[in-house]
């Protein structure tokens, strides 16, 4: 028997985009407002660097992306790359699942309409195309809500 599944490809998909890490659903965590889950995760990656506050207090997510585009500096005539990666998915790969789950939970807790939509997906497998294994974290959060 095939298990029904949702495949999330675009954060702006009106039916399932809300499940994406980059969906435009803001939330407050660690006393800061985050534009989306990716914003928070990028901050955690750069947390103890000179870019930390610039990322945390960026005016919008486009600015966060610009801040983390690789820049090159010349050090002793040798080009050296500094700051993150233009490819956000690669940048987030090392991100701890704990922080992903923490941010997703805050997103759903603070946005009741999408929390209810998530609960309505009971019994459906969730696949987030850009981020391997994130669907299973969302399913775990959904199952916690169902058991409440």
């Amino acid at each position: 028997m095939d298990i029904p599944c949702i495949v999330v490809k675009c954060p702006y998909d009106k039916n399932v985009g809300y499940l994406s890490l980059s969906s435009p659903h803001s939330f407050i965590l660690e006393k800061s407002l985050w534009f989306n889950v990716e914003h928070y995760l990028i901050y955690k990656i750069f947390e103890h660097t000179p870019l930390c506050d610039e990322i945390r207090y960026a005016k919008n997510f486009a600015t966060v992306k610009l801040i983390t585009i690789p820049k090159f500096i010349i050090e002793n005539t040798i080009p050296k790359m500094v700051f993150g990666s233009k490819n956000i998915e690669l940048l987030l790969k090392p991100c701890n699942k704990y922080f992903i789950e923490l941010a997703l939970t805050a997103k759903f807790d603070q946005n009741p309409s999408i929390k209810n939509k998530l609960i309505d997906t009971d019994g459906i497998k969730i696949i987030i195309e850009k981020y391997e294994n994130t669907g299973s974290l969302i399913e775990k959060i959904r199952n916690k809500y169902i058991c409440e």
Side-chain angles (χ1 to χ4, degrees):
M1 183 172 157
D2 288 334
I3 298 172
C5 71
I6 294 171
V7 179
V8 181
K9 295 180 180 186
C10 172
Y12 300 102
D13 179 303
K14 65 180 181 173
N15 297 313
V16 296
Y18 71 94
L19 294 167
S20 170
L21 298 184
S22 52
S23 71
H25 295 92
S26 60
F27 58 93
I28 295 172
L29 189 61
E30 295 184 22
K31 299 180 183 176
S32 289
L33 176 67
W34 307 101
F35 303 115
N36 56 35
V37 173
E38 279 186 342
H39 181 200
Y40 174 74
L41 297 177
I42 291 169
Y43 164 76
K44 293 309 282 184
I45 290 168
F46 289 95
E47 190 169 24
H48 301 290
T49 72
L51 289 179
C52 174
D53 285 341
E54 201 174 340
I55 291 167
R56 183 178 209 148
Y57 301 114
K59 292 184 180 192
N60 55 50
F61 190 60
T63 302
V64 172
K65 287 182 175 181
L66 285 173
I67 292 167
T68 57
I69 289 175
K71 297 169 179 68
F72 292 89
I73 59 171
I74 305 297
E75 214 173 75
N76 299 326
T77 69
I78 300 169
K80 178 182 173 188
M81 186 176 86
V82 293
F83 314 140
S85 166
K86 189 173 184 178
N87 186 332
I88 298 293
E89 299 86 65
L90 290 176
L91 182 63
L92 295 180
K93 260 198 188 303
C95 209
N96 186 315
K97 285 183 182 182
Y98 168 79
F99 293 116
I100 297 171
E101 186 174 345
L102 186 70
L104 283 166
T105 300
K107 169 185 155 175
F108 289 114
D109 281 348
Q110 295 172 38
N111 292 279
S113 64
I114 63 170
K115 178 181 179 180
N116 291 332
K117 285 173 79 170
L118 174 63
I119 291 168
D120 289 342
T121 67
D122 187 24
I124 300 173
K125 182 171 179 54
I126 299 170
I127 300 167
I128 308 296
E129 195 170 74
K130 286 167 64 174
Y131 301 101
E132 201 175 311
N133 300 320
T134 303
S136 59
L137 282 174
I138 294 172
E139 291 170 22
K140 178 180 172 186
I141 293 165
R142 174 190 63 202
N143 294 338
K144 283 182 194 173
Y145 291 145
I146 290 169
C147 291
E148 286 181 346

